């Protein structure tokens, strides 16, 4: 779960919010922060992270372009 995010951050500007529950990163289920970072560390040169998440009891897909 995203516990804190600042409005000035690139992730916030692209749609990620505090309280979002990330269930998948790049089509791989994640159940812990360690699994999330493992997926983040496997990004290729494109630097796009595809997230499946739950916000307000709705499933959402969010693509984050990372710097």
């Amino acid at each position: 779960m995203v516990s804190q995010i600042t409005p000035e951050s690139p992730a916030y500007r692209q749609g990620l919010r505090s309280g979002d529950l990330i269930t998948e990163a790049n089509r791989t289920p994640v159940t812990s922060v360690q699994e999330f970072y493992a997926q983040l560390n496997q990004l290729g040169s494109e630097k796009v992270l595809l997230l499946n998440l739950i916000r307000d009891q709705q499933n959402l897909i969010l693509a984050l372009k990372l710097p």
Side-chain angles (χ1 to χ4, degrees):
M1 179 174 286
V2 178
S3 61
Q4 187 176 22
I5 189 165
T6 60
E8 298 82 22
S9 71
Y12 185 91
R13 288 192 301 265
Q14 294 179 67
L16 195 62
R17 297 294 181 261
S18 180
D20 287 350
L21 177 62
I22 299 171
T23 58
E24 291 185 3
N26 287 340
R27 298 187 178 101
T28 300
V30 292
T31 59
S32 69
V33 173
Q34 293 80 11
E35 290 177 356
F36 172 78
Y37 279 114
Q39 289 303 310
L40 189 62
N41 290 330
Q42 291 182 17
L43 289 179
S45 60
E46 286 189 30
K47 298 288 186 183
V48 174
L49 183 63
L50 182 65
L51 299 177
N52 287 349
L53 55 93
I54 298 172
R55 179 187 298 157
D56 298 326
Q57 300 178 5
Q58 294 184 359
N59 290 316
L60 302 172
I61 298 173
L62 184 64
L64 297 179
K65 184 162 176 106
L66 304 177

